Amino acid sequence: MEKAYRIKKNSDFQMIYKRGKSVANRQFVIYTKTNKDLEHFRLGISVSKKLGNAVVRNKIKRAIRENFKVHKNDIIPIEIIVIARQPAKDMNTIQIQSSLEHVLKIAKVFNKRI
């Protein structure tokens, strides 16, 4: 992911948590907040240390980023935070992507094409 697509600052995370809307399934929680200044979406990923060691957490983060790369042109300009829950650690990449697509459809972040 390019730098322009990332949310890194704690203050940005906190603002989205407070003012954004949340949607969840068993594996992920998604916070979304509209931002009229954006031309594309911005993504923040949070995977707790409770889910496992660094190898497990990075595997989950890579799968999440890959899903957003695949759907890069299909997502509306919005700020998104993805929080992984406990069941995500036992899933493979394809299962993570299908679960993430499911919760993103509920959050209505896709263009009308999907």
Side-chain angles (χ1 to χ4, degrees):
M1 281 269 180
E2 295 102 54
K3 227 175 193 178
Y5 285 85
R6 290 190 218 144
I7 299 173
K8 291 292 238 177
K9 290 183 182 175
N10 185 36
S11 59
D12 291 344
F13 272 86
Q14 296 305 320
M15 184 182 63
I16 296 168
Y17 288 143
K18 287 179 184 163
R19 297 189 186 151
K21 295 178 182 175
S22 68
V23 176
N25 65 4
R26 293 189 126 191
Q27 295 83 16
F28 298 102
V29 179
I30 305 287
Y31 282 87
T32 58
K33 181 182 170 298
T34 56
N35 188 344
K36 307 221 185 296
D37 300 334
L38 294 176
E39 299 138 19
H40 52 76
F41 69 91
R42 288 179 64 211
L43 175 66
I45 301 172
S46 175
V47 182
S48 172
K49 285 188 176 183
K50 293 178 184 177
L51 264 60
N53 60 12
V55 175
V56 173
R57 295 193 312 267
N58 285 329
K59 182 187 127 208
I60 295 168
K61 286 190 258 186
R62 278 195 306 272
I64 292 169
R65 275 192 221 104
E66 181 61 31
N67 189 45
F68 278 89
K69 281 182 190 173
V70 168
H71 295 294
K72 190 176 190 177
N73 299 323
D74 301 327
I75 297 175
I76 59 175
I78 196 168
E79 295 180 319
I80 304 167
I81 295 178
V82 179
I83 302 171
R85 286 182 165 174
Q86 198 69 31
K89 73 176 185 180
D90 301 323
M91 300 170 73
N92 63 29
T93 304
I94 295 164
Q95 291 170 325
I96 287 174
Q97 288 183 352
S98 67
S99 176
L100 197 55
E101 285 174 13
H102 171 257
V103 76
L104 288 171
K105 284 178 185 174
I106 295 170
K108 297 178 180 158
V109 299
F110 286 121
N111 288 330
K112 300 295 182 201
R113 290 179 283 189
I114 292 184

